[in-house]
Amino acid sequence: MKTRKLTMAQALLGFLKQQYVERDGVEHRFFGGVLGIFGHGNVAGIGQALQQNLDLPYIPVRNEQAAVHMAAGYAKTSNRLRAFACTSSIGPGATNMITGAALATINRLPVLLLPGDIFARRNVAPVLQQLESPSTQDIGVNDCFKPVSRYWDRIYRPEQLITALPEAMRVLTSPSDCGAVTLALPQDVQAEAYEYPEELFRKRVWLIRRPQPDAESFARAVAAIRASRRPFLVAGGGVLFSEAPAALARFCAATGIPIGETQAGKGSLPYDHPQSMGALGATGTLAANRLARDADLVIGIGTRYSDFTTASMTAFQNPDVRFVNINTAEFDAYKVSAIPLVADARVALARLTEALAGFRVTESYAALIAGLKQEWEAEVDRLFHLGLEPRPAQSEVIGALWEASGPRDILVSAAGSHPGDLHKLWRTRTPNGYHMEYGYSCMGYEIPGAMGAKLADPTREVYVFLGDGTYLMMPGEIVTSVQEGVKIIIVLVDNHGYASIGGLSQSLGQQGFGTVYRTRTESGQLEGNFLPVDYEANARSLGACAIRAHSVAELKHALEKAKSADRTTVIVIETEREVRVPGYESWWDVAVAEVSEIESVQQSRARYVEARRQERHHL
Ligand SMILES: Cc1ncc(C[n+]2csc(CCOP(=O)(O)OP(=O)(O)O)c2C)c(N)n1
Ligand SMILES: [Mg+2]
């Protein structure tokens, strides 16, 4: 057997470089590169190997958590056909990646995590940053990756790579089991040499399958759709991952079935498609929520049925409602007692369109759909142009941003009041043009996530829409964007703290306690002036261009400047905190204190108990 003598780290990178994926006859290299930060736990192993493998680009970042977010943004924009690996030292560098790992796994995105680990040899333990246990020497902080990874392994001996790497690739390229893969790499083993079989380094092409539905389940699904009077379709992230928007548009045009979109599925149809009712659920449109409420058949495609989508199991109120689920993951396909089509979205939609030939929704249902759509578009226009003085409402900022953006541009956001407002209002024109991380809704994802999107598709302008709160969590990656020449445009909405959680707190009878950025006063409470944060100066100090806009007109001007700039630009605009986009006949279950000394909380509890009566089991 021909072998190559390499360190474990060198062999790992040698393998990663040779991994490709193929779908629909198109082949791509799978790994775009490696993101990370060096410390004593990886510099001599992975760090050394990266230096002698420059064809696998290395991008140093400012925070390991951000590295994983960047990798997730890259994978999402690539429809999971490409990924990044992330390298860290041991200890805090490694555990910084755990939040990112959870985010990737929840969003079903492939990221390969390579945290450094403590010495396998053990004789020098405890090493710097090692967590010791009195009950075993076989545990460390990297065990915390287990529940947030779809595959987890620790490479105690260099030859274990030979069996671990194919498993890692199987999971990373799986349409159903995709998520974070963690290979914990003890620092001494990274640097250890081994005679690896030459075969390990041959080019390998992983076929991304498009599974066909089982014949009997398919026949039952067709019969259920044909029998329905008020069918409604829920488009989830799986529609985009499968690159099925065109197949969905054909299905909807042929059958007249309307769709509502989840956060991950938004943009499955262009907003102006006649069957697009926009966002569904707690942050949904009136059009989608009304149709969902009365639907007798719900076709869920590539959706996890999160509580925001189901409005905490209140969205579907027709007593006879049934479900058909199309999903590559059996786990999701079986939810809500559906007829499960364990299949690829594009394949299933094309076959359903064919099998449903001649089926069309009734004229009265079609008229209802058209009327609701028209009303909703008028509502968006209203919210885009409120003309509020002296500070605009957030919906006006969204309107100005939408009008300034081009049809192929990408909008990235994740947490705060932005996901809810954008879910309702953003008019997505192109698949993947709406990039919302709402599986983990992680404050701090936005800037690195947007950089990942830009790395995946540099031909599209990438906008970030975020709040002052989330900006403060992870502005440091602006430095990385300057380093790499990865330009993004960041619109920072300054409303002096957490408007979203503040609003939620008020609705729970808690008066927004602890959610406003104010100084502590002699009363001992946070009741003083607004915190004097200069976001513009902060962004500029990190290397970005920065502009403050005082009005919608100035915002429009700033956006034009940002588009022509060659660097990441941050636009700061103050908004009217208390003018919010309303909800549209939906709800979200946030449990209210059952007993309290505060009267407003007691009242809120009474409303809560009443509202919960709408929650259903779909059995
Ligand atoms: C890492 C993380 N911590 C806490 C939360 C809970 N959370 C959700 S939104 C939010 C406030 C966001 O504030 P900001 O970015 O200013 O947006 P705004 O609410 O003002 O729209 C918080 C604390 C979260 N989603 N992520
Ligand atoms: Mg805020």
Side-chain angles (χ1 to χ4, degrees):
M1 183 178 66
K2 240 185 120 197
T3 60
R4 223 190 272 185
K5 187 167 187 178
L6 295 171
T7 67
M8 182 262 261
Q10 292 160 359
L12 172 56
L13 299 190
F15 176 89
L16 297 187
K17 285 197 299 191
Q18 292 298 334
Q19 304 309 301
Y20 290 74
V21 293
E22 179 196 325
R23 185 162 73 179
D24 306 325
V26 184
E27 200 178 282
H28 305 265
R29 187 158 141 171
F30 189 61
F31 288 102
V34 180
L35 300 154
I37 295 181
F38 296 141
H40 64 97
N42 61 341
V43 68
I46 295 283
Q48 189 282 329
L50 280 166
Q51 197 191 1
Q52 66 180 56
N53 282 284
L54 293 175
D55 51 341
L56 194 63
Y58 174 60
I59 302 180
V61 300
R62 313 278 89 79
N63 180 322
E64 295 85 354
Q65 181 183 331
V68 192
H69 292 339
M70 225 174 278
Y74 180 82
K76 186 173 165 85
T77 300
S78 307
N79 293 325
R80 311 196 294 191
L81 297 175
R82 289 181 299 167
F84 262 96
C86 300
T87 174
S88 80
S89 190
I90 72 165
T95 51
N96 266 356
M97 296 202 293
I98 289 173
T99 298
L103 183 152
T105 295
I106 287 170
N107 285 286
R108 318 277 166 87
L109 293 169
V111 298
L112 175 60
L113 307 181
L114 306 170
D117 210 321
I118 52 176
F119 273 63
R121 153 159 71 82
R122 293 183 178 167
N123 63 318
V124 289
V127 296
L128 176 66
Q129 301 168 328
Q130 174 169 349
L131 174 87
E132 291 179 277
S133 163
S135 56
T136 175
Q137 293 184 41
D138 192 26
I139 206 162
V141 295
N142 284 342
D143 290 270
C144 300
F145 282 96
K146 285 177 180 170
V148 292
S149 301
R150 296 309 294 263
Y151 181 81
W152 183 100
D153 213 341
R154 186 181 273 132
I155 310 299
Y156 284 111
R157 298 173 60 93
E159 62 268 42
Q160 286 175 342
L161 267 191
I162 300 166
T163 52
L165 286 172
E167 290 304 313
M169 284 306 299
R170 174 183 61 77
V171 172
L172 290 169
T173 60
S174 165
S176 53
D177 292 340
C178 191
V181 167
T182 301
L183 299 180
L185 308 176
Q187 62 161 297
D188 51 343
V189 188
Q190 285 179 46
E192 201 174 321
Y194 181 77
E195 293 283 354
Y196 285 97
E198 193 61 43
E199 269 287 275
L200 186 65
F201 308 108
R202 73 170 168 83
K203 178 176 169 181
R204 223 166 279 247
V205 185
W206 298 80
L207 180 70
I208 310 287
R209 292 165 292 118
R210 289 194 178 277
Q212 296 276 344
D214 153 70
E216 184 53 35
S217 308
F218 184 76
R220 290 179 191 189
V222 170
I225 297 170
R226 280 196 180 276
S228 68
R229 303 283 298 162
R230 300 179 68 101
F232 181 77
L233 192 149
V234 180
V239 175
L240 295 166
F241 287 159
S242 157
E243 294 174 346
L248 177 63
R250 279 192 293 275
F251 174 86
C252 291
T255 60
I257 295 177
I259 79 154
E261 295 172 330
T262 71
Q263 286 278 16
K266 190 170 160 75
S268 291
L269 287 183
Y271 82 94
D272 51 0
H273 188 288
Q275 271 76 38
S276 172
M277 301 295 114
L280 170 68
T283 52
T285 69
L286 189 65
N289 286 344
R290 283 259 175 93
L291 294 174
R293 183 190 63 195
D294 299 328
D296 59 357
L297 184 81
V298 176
I299 307 165
I301 310 188
T303 176
R304 302 182 301 131
Y305 288 102
S306 84
D307 65 346
F308 266 78
T309 297
T310 66
S312 299
M313 287 298 173
T314 64
F316 310 109
Q317 288 294 334
N318 186 324
D320 300 320
V321 67
R322 290 180 67 200
F323 295 81
V324 169
N325 287 343
I326 300 168
N327 210 299
T328 47
E330 187 179 273
F331 174 66
D332 291 310
Y334 272 80
K335 287 179 179 172
V336 288
S337 309
I339 298 172
L341 296 190
V342 182
D344 171 75
R346 193 158 105 183
V347 164
L349 278 165
R351 288 203 37 203
L352 281 175
T353 308
E354 207 174 292
L356 288 167
F359 171 83
R360 222 183 139 70
V361 299
T362 61
E363 269 176 37
S364 63
Y365 193 47
L368 175 69
I369 292 163
L372 284 169
K373 173 146 187 80
Q374 202 179 356
E375 275 172 42
W376 177 254
E377 293 308 330
E379 174 69 350
V380 176
D381 285 332
R382 182 184 76 79
L383 289 161
F384 275 5
H385 303 107
L386 291 177
L388 212 67
E389 299 275 357
R391 284 177 297 276
Q394 185 159 287
S395 68
E396 295 176 82
V397 176
I398 294 172
L401 179 55
W402 184 77
E403 281 160 17
S405 66
R408 289 191 71 250
D409 295 350
I410 298 175
L411 176 81
V412 178
S413 191
S417 56
H418 315 91
D421 290 4
L422 292 166
H423 194 209
K424 289 170 202 156
L425 303 181
W426 193 257
R427 291 170 156 167
T428 316
R429 291 165 279 193
T430 313
N432 304 79
Y434 181 83
H435 181 129
M436 183 64 63
E437 191 287 288
Y438 211 62
Y440 213 38
S441 187
C442 181
M443 290 169 75
Y445 171 82
E446 298 87 343
I447 294 173
M451 290 175 57
K454 185 75 180 178
L455 282 167
D457 191 348
T459 70
R460 299 170 83 165
E461 194 83 80
V462 178
Y463 294 91
V464 177
F465 192 58
L466 49 59
D468 46 348
T470 194
Y471 176 84
L472 285 178
M473 281 223 183
M474 206 161 284
E477 295 314 314
I478 287 175
V479 177
T480 310
S481 89
V482 174
Q483 164 194 299
E484 298 297 323
V486 174
K487 179 204 161 184
I488 54 175
I489 298 173
I490 301 168
V491 177
L492 190 168
V493 175
D494 183 3
N495 53 23
H496 306 287
Y498 305 160
S500 53
I501 304 298
L504 178 62
S505 160
Q506 283 171 19
S507 76
L508 303 176
Q510 297 168 204
Q511 289 80 38
F513 173 73
T515 62
V516 186
Y517 284 178
R518 288 186 185 278
T519 55
R520 198 171 293 284
T521 61
E522 282 165 12
S523 69
Q525 303 302 318
L526 298 173
E527 294 171 340
N529 293 330
F530 285 133
L531 296 178
V533 189
D534 186 342
Y535 295 102
E536 205 189 329
N538 179 277
R540 203 169 283 136
S541 77
L542 298 173
C545 303
I547 309 170
R548 179 169 279 275
H550 299 92
S551 64
V552 171
E554 282 188 25
L555 171 63
K556 288 182 178 170
H557 186 67
L559 285 165
E560 292 313 314
K561 268 181 85 172
K563 280 197 260 182
S564 57
D566 60 352
R567 254 187 307 154
T568 289
T569 301
V570 178
I571 301 170
V572 183
I573 183 159
E574 203 175 323
T575 56
E576 186 52 59
R577 180 181 169 117
E578 299 305 328
V579 179
R580 297 185 162 88
V581 177
Y584 295 90
E585 299 187 0
S586 197
W587 115 291
W588 182 39
D589 188 338
V590 176
V592 181
E594 197 166 352
V595 292
S596 169
E597 294 166 5
I598 302 170
E599 204 189 314
S600 53
V601 175
Q602 294 162 6
Q603 289 161 357
S604 165
R605 174 73 192 185
R607 287 194 302 273
Y608 172 75
V609 170
E610 190 50 38
R612 268 204 63 194
R613 292 185 205 280
Q614 296 284 310
E615 289 182 7
R616 296 189 58 186
H617 289 290
H618 296 291
L619 298 172

